[in-house]
Amino acid sequence: TQLLEQSPQFLSIQEGENLTVYCNSSSVFSSLQWYRQEPGEGPVLLVTVVTGGEVKKLKRLTFQFGDARKDSSLHITAAQPGDTGLYLCAGGRGDYGGATNKLIFGTGTLLAVQP
Amino acid sequence: DADVTQTPRNRITKTGKRIMLECSQTKGHDRMYWYRQDPGLGLRLIYYSFDVKDINKGEISDGYSVSRQAQAKFSLSLESAIPNQTALYFCATRPGQYTNTGELFFGEGSRLTVL
């Protein structure tokens, strides 16, 4: 059973456009991470949010954790070709940073930004 | 050089063959993980280990086995490969409990094709 659903699954946009990727679940998570994976590479962490309603910004990327800690969104402003990749959300279960903390990954969103 | 190294990077094999994927890390992390990635399914956890001789099943362990030979090495075996084990496999590491920010550090992946 997939606990974290991402939408859209695929997204192809032109350089300069804005976009939002959603990560939804019916379960509560203690933390939510976003990773980006480029072709031929492993995923790399972009951000971790741990508080309901938390918003974090990383240059043109804005991440939000839902108030109930069941969902998250990633918004990219003025997308660039370098933003191309697979975006994965991952929900943490158990104590954040603790021995029992486990990550459940979302289904992924493949983003292509055309120049 | 990569902190988390996987070998081989690509492997094509036949049904029924035994395959071993190896992972070594220079990050000094206690925790090591094997994930499987399939399009539209994100990353699914196969096995994980918190220390040498500590082995734990993930959500899709059937048909796989692992060995944690040393802190830095964690290998994944397919005793008798079948075509639906064709996938991209990732090894990942994480620090121990008291320095754990929740971030997973991934290798570059091993693409396995079972004919």
Side-chain angles (χ1 to χ4, degrees), chain A residues 31-67:
Chain A
S31 62
L32 200 294
Q33 298 180 337
W34 283 92
Y35 289 79
R36 180 169 65 207
Q37 181 181 356
E38 299 184 11
E41 303 289 334
V44 175
L45 181 69
L46 295 174
V47 77
T48 301
V49 285
V50 298
T51 305
E54 182 176 1
V55 177
K56 280 192 174 179
K57 292 190 175 184
L58 184 65
K59 296 184 180 178
R60 295 174 294 99
L61 278 61
T62 301
F63 305 86
Q64 183 164 7
F65 201 9
D67 291 341

Side-chain angles (χ1 to χ4, degrees), chain B residues 49-67:
Chain B
S49 169
F50 283 177
D51 204 347
V52 176
K53 304 301 183 184
D54 174 68
I55 302 294
N56 304 281
K57 291 183 178 181
E59 56 183 307
I60 56 164
S61 59
D62 288 348
Y64 302 94
S65 63
V66 291
S67 175

Side-chain angles (χ1 to χ4, degrees), chain A residues 1-2 5 9-10 31 33 35 37 40-46 48 86 88 92 96-108, chain B residues 9 31 33 35 37-45 48 50 57 59 88 90 94 96-98 100-109:
Chain A
T1 302
Q2 186 61 255
E5 296 288 339
Q9 188 174 4
F10 302 101
S31 62
Q33 298 180 337
Y35 289 79
Q37 181 181 356
E41 303 289 334
V44 175
L45 181 69
L46 295 174
T48 301
L86 178 68
L88 294 160
Y96 175 64
T100 57
N101 184 264
K102 296 179 183 177
L103 284 180
I104 297 171
F105 281 85
T107 49
Chain B
R9 294 293 310 279
R31 303 177 188 181
Y33 304 78
Y35 285 90
Q37 185 174 47
D38 298 278
L41 295 178
L43 289 162
R44 292 181 292 168
L45 182 62
Y48 61 102
F50 283 177
K57 291 183 178 181
E59 56 183 307
L88 184 56
F90 283 101
R94 200 187 231 182
Q97 179 174 354
Y98 297 106
N100 188 355
T101 62
E103 180 177 2
L104 281 171
F105 296 84
F106 286 87
E108 295 177 317

